[in-house]
Amino acid sequence: MTSHTPSRVTALPCAAAALAACLALLLAGCGESAAPVQLPVKPAASTGAAPAAVMLTPRQQVAAAYTGYTSAMAASFESRSPARVKQLLSPYLDAATIRNAISAFSQAWARNEISYGQVVQHIIGIRVHGTAAWVHDCDNASDSGLEFASTGQIVPGSLGIADENLVTRLNLVDGHWMIWVQTVEGVPCAP
């Protein structure tokens, strides 16, 4: 089980605004009729061998799983959809932990809480030992937390802290690194 709480969820409001602006620009020209355009001829399909897949080291795989998990947690909270939470978190968490996340998120959603700001990760160490791995992260969550959507007021107790000392254990399960437990260490860290 992970000790991850909604107060650690990061927001991506700038990305959403940029995406909306791009879609608006793309859709703005859809109402006009297009002039006929001569398309280039497609080149013949190559029969050469496909490029070899890049093989990641176990340490790189662990780092990718950890950063993927933190991004998926943020997107899950923002989705406000239990089905989407399950879809986004399935590559990283077991079913019981996903149910716990949905329960915690649902409580925050019912109170009309949204996330703001962004957690800045500083991975300061990764250790891999067989099918177990540990990621040591010194997060700066001081500019993020939860706020009430209707008032913009910060939810009491949700403001993050600078230099949050996190240790995350991952296990290799069926060839994929899964988050097993995440703990906050009681000692300061430095990025």
Side-chain angles (χ1 to χ4, degrees), residues 10 79 120 141:
T10 60
S79 76
V120 179

Side-chain angles (χ1 to χ4, degrees), residues 25-106:
L25 287 173
L26 287 173
L27 295 175
C30 289
E32 301 173 18
S33 60
V37 175
Q38 180 69 33
L39 297 176
V41 176
K42 287 186 179 181
S46 170
T47 57
V54 176
M55 295 298 294
L56 299 178
T57 67
R59 189 175 195 282
Q60 290 169 323
Q61 292 172 12
V62 168
Y66 179 74
T67 57
Y69 158 74
T70 57
S71 294
M73 284 297 283
S76 293
F77 185 75
E78 293 300 318
S79 76
R80 304 182 80 79
S81 163
R84 186 76 175 128
V85 171
K86 183 176 179 182
Q87 179 186 28
L88 288 166
L89 295 181
S90 290
Y92 309 104
L93 299 172
D94 63 34
T97 306
I98 293 171
R99 284 192 299 274
N100 290 341
I102 290 170
S103 175
F105 290 173
S106 294

